[in-house]
Amino acid sequence: MKNPSFFDGFDPFALIQTYGSPLYVYRESIFRERCREMMRLVTYPNFSVNYSVKANTNLTLLKIAREEGLHADAMSPGEIFVEKAAGYTPPEIFFISNNASAEELRFAVDQGIMVSIDSISQLALYGRTFPHTKVALRINSGVGAGHSDKVVTGGHKTKFAILEEQLDEALAIIEQYDLTVAGLNQHIGSFVLDPETYLSGVRALLPIAMRFKDLEFIDLGGGFGMPYQAGQPRLDLKELGEALDVLLYDFAKNYGRMVQFKIEPGRYISAECCVLVGTVNALKSNGDDLYCGTDLGFNNLIRPVLYDAYHEVETLPKREGAPVHPYNVVGNICESGDIVAAERPLPEMKEGDLVVVYDTGAYGYSMSSQYNNRLRPAEVLLGEDGQVKLIRRRDTLEDLLRNFEV
Ligand code: LLP
């Protein structure tokens, strides 16, 4: 089993009965623990963990992350808006813009939120619009990584960031508009499981940073992976942290100042604290293939369809000793690609059983949709106080009409 103690003290069938199926179920203790692990990644004192909320913008989780001392990054005015609603103050928010309009940039700048700019063209726009201000630059140091080409954000095949060979051009714009580069950031991509890959990005960035004299911070990006497969080794945070410490202290010494270092974990913070629970509505076979038909359509969780991502899947009740068959766990959306998990050996099922999909707290609900006019599920938190808290209500049919004149 992926995490046999996930539901300890709680009854998944009762949760589904009360809050409906499917249901996103979060475990507060795991979320807090992941926040704490990131907060103690390094000993370097001037260090900030910015939760990358794109992974999960649930307001309650954002508040808990802030209680744990995390700050936040934002990719859009909407993320800034929600972060402020969760209590984050402008100095705790870093807007990492990409192809933003002048209005979007102004939304952040007017509130005193630091903005990162990630192209020459956007830098010129920023300079024209906000001369004599501080800005951060997103650098592409040439290193990219990730679990799919779709999430690699460094190197040469990406729309993101300013390349080293574009720096002279960037510096000319900086001078023209009297901007001060107060920060640099990078993000090589999402899902790194070995320390060395992350470190190679940091090693590539730091020499570039030496070219800037007024840096207050350097943001090393997110991308920290966690094991989706049972038995897969964890990212060795001790090894990574110790190696990072050497690089950070060394940089500060050469730079002459203890600049702030930031990281931006999204997945690591929120993936493992959550399971998506659905219900088996139908069982069928087609030739040799067995289908377990559930309400877990890809409107709820798009990762398997979009990235061929693997999530561990288990069924309840546990039928120990029952014959095991290779099931295709599918949803209720009108596309044949609507597969949560293909050919998984699972104990023989019955209609009404539950299917538990692990590690769905990152890029799960946040990428969900109302495709096929399906209602997005509720989210509940299994609290450290033993209580169940509804932290987002299920969509209603009326929500489907909310933006129309009727
Ligand atoms: N910083 C920036 C600038 C980012 O673009 C991202 C993620 C992060 C930090 C956080 O990355 P993380 O620590 O979560 O790997 N939807 C995909 C992942 C997309 C990541 C997008 N950017 C998935 O479900 O795998």
Side-chain angles (χ1 to χ4, degrees):
M1 289 193 73
K2 184 74 178 25
N3 180 356
S5 59
F6 189 91
F7 284 109
D8 276 4
F10 301 89
D11 174 1
F13 284 94
L15 291 172
I16 289 294
Q17 200 142 47
T18 308
Y19 300 101
S21 181
L23 182 67
Y24 273 102
V25 183
Y26 296 86
R27 188 102 205 184
E28 180 180 358
S29 53
I30 302 177
F31 184 78
R32 285 191 187 272
E33 183 49 34
R34 295 296 173 262
C35 289
R36 289 171 195 170
E37 285 174 21
M38 283 285 130
M39 289 293 284
R40 29 171 215 258
L41 180 65
V42 293
T43 66
Y44 184 88
N46 195 2
F47 177 65
S48 164
V49 179
N50 287 18
Y51 173 39
S52 195
V53 307
K54 54 184 72 72
N56 191 314
T57 44
N58 186 288
L59 202 61
T60 300
L61 298 183
L62 262 56
K63 288 179 186 169
I64 296 174
R66 187 163 185 274
E67 276 172 25
E68 294 293 339
L70 278 73
H71 294 172
D73 80 16
M75 195 74 198
S76 66
E79 287 189 351
I80 293 173
F81 178 76
V82 171
E83 286 163 6
K84 289 192 73 192
Y88 292 81
T89 60
E92 296 169 353
I93 299 173
F94 183 27
F95 180 29
I96 299 178
S97 74
N98 175 242
N99 302 330
S101 66
E103 291 71 36
E104 288 178 319
L105 297 175
R106 186 176 296 286
F107 184 85
V109 172
D110 281 356
Q111 302 186 62
I113 292 167
M114 176 62 71
V115 178
S116 147
I117 295 294
D118 90 335
S119 69
I120 296 295
S121 129
Q122 292 256 283
L123 186 58
L125 169 70
Y126 187 93
R128 283 196 304 276
T129 321
F130 313 106
H132 321 295
T133 59
K134 290 182 179 177
V135 69
L137 298 183
R138 178 167 175 174
I139 303 292
N140 180 345
S141 64
V143 177
H147 66 79
S148 145
D149 286 350
K150 295 188 173 92
V151 302
V152 175
T153 49
H156 277 278
K157 285 270 180 222
T158 174
K159 65 171 178 162
F160 294 105
I162 296 170
L163 294 161
E164 196 172 3
E165 58 256 37
Q166 295 166 333
L167 277 186
D168 287 339
E169 213 182 329
L171 288 169
I173 298 170
I174 298 287
E175 200 180 309
Q176 183 183 356
Y177 294 107
D178 185 31
L179 299 173
T180 302
V181 180
L184 294 184
N185 62 300
Q186 82 167 356
H187 173 69
I188 62 172
S190 193
F191 200 79
V192 170
L193 264 186
D194 72 300
E196 193 42 43
T197 304
Y198 193 83
L199 292 166
S200 66
V202 178
R203 284 195 207 99
L205 178 67
L206 292 181
I208 298 173
M210 288 306 277
R211 288 185 61 177
F212 295 85
K213 294 297 159 223
D214 304 306
L215 294 180
E216 293 167 18
F217 69 88
I218 300 173
D219 181 338
L220 305 172
F224 310 95
M226 30 55 65
Y228 280 103
Q229 306 200 17
Q232 197 176 12
R234 295 195 73 80
L235 171 62
D236 190 336
L237 290 183
K238 187 166 178 295
E239 183 187 333
L240 175 62
E242 284 172 3
L244 269 178
D245 258 335
V246 173
L247 294 175
L248 306 194
Y249 280 111
D250 227 45
F251 178 86
K253 196 163 132 229
N254 295 333
Y255 198 69
R257 201 145 28 95
M258 294 293 275
V259 290
Q260 184 185 48
F261 280 98
K262 302 177 195 275
I263 55 169
E264 291 162 15
R267 186 190 313 274
Y268 196 86
I269 298 290
S270 63
E272 292 164 285
C273 67
C274 175
V275 296
L276 174 61
V277 184
T279 302
V280 178
N281 288 335
L283 293 160
K284 75 184 288 186
S285 56
N286 184 349
D288 290 339
D289 297 329
L290 277 178
Y291 290 92
C292 159
T294 72
D295 52 10
L296 296 171
F298 70 74
N299 62 300
N300 300 291
L301 177 71
I302 201 167
R303 301 193 70 255
V305 173
L306 193 56
Y307 311 115
D308 284 327
Y310 182 96
H311 288 260
E312 291 289 356
V313 161
E314 283 160 18
T315 53
L316 294 172
K318 292 189 182 90
R319 295 218 165 80
E320 269 144 37
V324 169
H325 304 295
Y327 281 102
N328 293 292
V329 180
V330 297
N332 50 6
I333 294 293
C334 61
E335 299 195 24
S336 288
D338 183 25
I339 301 172
V340 185
E343 296 189 9
R344 295 289 175 87
L346 292 166
E348 203 159 282
M349 284 183 224
K350 297 198 169 101
E351 288 100 349
D353 285 359
L354 298 185
V355 174
V356 177
V357 187
Y358 276 95
D359 305 315
T360 50
Y363 309 106
Y365 192 99
S366 69
M367 295 179 81
S368 69
S369 75
Q370 294 175 330
Y371 185 44
N372 280 194
N373 274 0
R374 287 276 169 201
L375 307 182
R376 285 169 304 183
E379 296 180 297
V380 295
L381 183 72
L382 309 182
E384 286 191 320
D385 58 3
Q387 302 295 310
V388 181
K389 191 172 164 203
L390 178 66
I391 56 171
R392 175 151 25 197
R393 66 162 175 79
R394 172 178 300 282
D395 283 342
T396 62
L397 289 174
E398 289 69 35
D399 289 332
L400 299 175
L401 294 175
R402 204 153 28 126
N403 296 339
F404 299 106
E405 304 272 347
V406 280

